Amino acid sequence: MPPIPSPVSAAYERFETAQRDTLLKARALIFEVAREDKNIGELEEVLRWGEPAYITSKKKTGSTIRLAVEKQSGQPAIFFNCQTTLVGDMRSRFGTELTYSKNRAILLASLDDTIKSALKFAIGAALTYHLRN
């Protein structure tokens, strides 16, 4: 896994310890999915709205994934572009196996093995979104 660029690292430091730990596990999962799927290719790790964000370097491949804390619940979350069908698709596929915030995010009360495969699927779907649509 690549080192965290310093502006992104500073953004992670602003999260509470437990939130940061969960979000860093989600970061590792994003890079794992990208490594396993040759269609995704290289990822750019940047800041969007001051929060860690991940997008494919190859244009017209995927949709941006952002890691942050959802304001209402205070839970770490993986945010997706709300103009996509990604959260709706995950809700249809996984139902209550995952917890959602509207059409924007999957909440991560914890990132344990019970939801890891569903999250990997969601991450892969985001990072290949434009290849399928």
Side-chain angles (χ1 to χ4, degrees):
M1 186 166 30
I4 302 173
S6 105
V8 177
S9 182
Y12 276 112
E13 290 302 317
R14 289 192 289 269
F15 297 118
E16 294 176 15
T17 303
Q19 295 168 334
R20 181 176 49 247
D21 290 347
T22 299
L23 292 171
L24 287 171
K25 288 177 187 174
R27 175 189 185 265
L29 205 56
I30 291 167
F31 279 100
E32 180 181 327
V33 169
R35 191 174 53 252
E36 291 173 354
D37 187 337
K38 63 179 170 38
N39 293 313
I40 295 170
E42 295 293 315
L43 293 181
E44 295 178 28
E45 185 171 21
V46 296
L47 292 176
R48 294 287 187 268
W49 299 283
E51 298 163 337
Y54 303 85
I55 185 134
T56 57
S57 295
K58 191 169 138 185
K59 301 301 177 209
K60 300 292 183 193
T61 300
S63 180
T64 302
I65 296 172
R66 198 166 37 89
L67 298 178
V69 173
E70 197 263 341
K71 288 178 177 69
Q72 284 186 306
S73 67
Q75 290 184 11
I78 299 177
F79 285 84
F80 302 94
N81 183 324
C82 63
Q83 300 299 314
T84 67
T85 61
L86 287 162
V87 173
D89 294 346
M90 295 310 114
R91 190 177 273 122
S92 294
R93 183 178 182 105
F94 297 107
T96 59
E97 186 176 339
L98 298 172
T99 306
Y100 312 92
S101 174
K102 301 179 186 173
N103 67 334
R104 302 183 43 81
I106 296 173
L107 303 180
L108 306 172
S110 67
L111 212 161
D112 58 25
D113 289 337
T114 61
I115 65 165
K116 223 178 234 184
S117 65
L119 286 177
K120 285 179 76 170
F121 183 89
I123 291 165
L127 295 176
T128 59
Y129 186 76
H130 295 294
L131 294 177
R132 293 176 286 107
N133 293 308

